[in-house]
Amino acid sequence: MFSPQSQIDELRRTSPERDCLAERGAILAFRPLILHASAPAATPAHRRVIHIEYAVHDLPTPLEWYDRVAEQSGIRMDTSRTKT
């Protein structure tokens, strides 16, 4: 049985890398399950990342979303956890 790390190592060994270059301020959108990485920022204090995931289904138990906005019967419900 493969461990997650051995699966990643195998993908890196057998799959070609692709460069996705973007201009400053650009948006790069991709599926979150794509194996991805980036080089360290030239000025790390200035890198900003917004990670948004959209999903139709709930996560399998015992996993759960940290923040969730659901729509039910046309009424938008914020089911986010209370942050402390």
Side-chain angles (χ1 to χ4, degrees):
M1 180 173 197
F2 284 113
S3 70
Q5 186 60 52
S6 67
Q7 289 176 321
I8 291 169
D9 294 341
E10 178 68 11
L11 283 169
R12 292 183 70 199
R13 188 179 66 73
T14 60
S15 301
E17 289 185 10
R18 306 276 189 223
D19 290 332
C20 299
L21 306 177
E23 299 289 327
R24 179 179 178 178
I27 294 173
L28 177 63
F30 57 90
R31 293 174 182 248
L33 296 179
I34 289 177
L35 184 59
H36 62 281
S38 60
T43 311
H46 292 95
R47 178 176 277 182
R48 302 290 184 261
V49 175
I50 298 174
H51 187 146
I52 301 171
E53 292 188 27
Y54 295 94
V56 175
H57 304 287
D58 288 329
L59 292 172
T61 304
L63 302 174
E64 54 184 69
W65 296 107
Y66 184 77
D67 282 330
R68 179 175 176 209
V69 175
E71 191 167 319
Q72 191 173 53
S73 302
I75 300 170
R76 188 167 185 243
M77 304 176 341
D78 184 351
T79 59
S80 301
R81 297 177 187 203
T82 303
K83 304 217 181 16
T84 55

